[in-house]
Structures are given as C-alpha cells and as structure tokens.
Amino acid sequence: QVQLVESGGGLVQPGGSLRLSCAVSGSIFSLNTMGWYRQAPGKERELVATITRGGTTNYADSVKGRFTISRDNARGRVYLQMNSLKPEDTAVYYCNADMISGLSMVRYWGQGTQVTVSS
C-alpha cells in the first residue's frame, strides 16, 4: 500500500518561509518523478514544481526563484522550500509521486497540507 503524507504547512506572514515535506511509504525504489501541486479556493489544481529521480527540476513561472524542490531517494521523500511567500501562494499543497508498476506508471497523491500567507 503506497501512502504519501505531507507536513510543514501553516500560517506565515508575507515574505516569510515554510518548508513542506512529503514522506512516501511503500516501494520507494519504484519512485519516478515527484512533485508538488496546489489548489486555491475556487481554482483548479496547478503545478508548482516537479523533480525527476535524477534531480532535474521544473517550476511554475509564478514560483521560480522563490521555491526550491528537492528529494531524498533513499528515504522516499520530497521537499518544497518556499521563500518570499506571497498571499497568492495561499492554497492546499499536494505532493504526488509517479511509481513504476510493471509496465505502467501509477500516480499517487497525498492528502494535502494547508499553506496560508497572511498578515
């Protein structure tokens, strides 16, 4: 059974920082690309950042230069360091992981963690 559990969300003032963590349980050796998405109230879920098993990263334009994604393959974890946070970063943040299953790729999602940026 694969589970993704996020942690690290909370309330922060504009300009502040937070670090999100996501721990994957299960067959971590089958992990492929991992990523973070977010969903603000009334909006669709959107990509924040992704990272391949080899460490290649991709970011949404809105977070480039402020957020950094990283991962620990040996521990099955992915992180999102968020700096210079803005009120528009307020959302529920979800981690996901693509895992190889036979000849297929299966995508798993965490339950989400709330990030609120407000003074």
Side-chain angles (χ1 to χ4, degrees):
Q1 183 74 11
V2 176
Q3 286 188 319
L4 280 66
V5 179
E6 301 102 334
S7 60
L11 173 65
V12 64
Q13 292 186 341
S17 298
L18 281 176
R19 186 182 191 230
L20 305 183
S21 297
C22 176
V24 181
S25 63
S27 181
I28 63 173
F29 299 104
S30 298
L31 282 171
N32 202 329
T33 298
M34 302 179 75
W36 290 93
Y37 286 68
R38 67 186 181 187
Q39 187 167 17
K43 295 187 177 181
E44 294 187 352
R45 191 174 297 190
E46 63 176 5
L47 169 73
V48 176
T50 62
I51 183 168
T52 68
R53 188 173 183 86
T56 300
T57 58
N58 178 55
Y59 295 93
D61 288 343
S62 59
V63 306
K64 282 181 181 177
R66 300 188 299 121
F67 291 10
T68 302
I69 189 171
S70 60
R71 65 188 285 171
D72 183 337
N73 290 331
R75 300 178 68 190
R77 296 194 177 186
V78 62
Y79 307 97
L80 187 68
Q81 178 66 43
M82 305 186 293
N83 300 327
S84 302
L85 282 160
K86 305 175 181 180
E88 50 264 43
D89 294 318
T90 296
V92 177
Y93 283 70
Y94 299 89
C95 74
N96 76 338
D98 292 338
M99 299 185 75
I100 299 169
S101 178
L103 298 178
S104 302
M105 194 76 70
V106 180
R107 174 162 290 184
Y108 295 91
W109 292 90
Q111 81 288 350
T113 185
Q114 177 70 46
V115 172
T116 302
V117 185
S118 175
S119 55

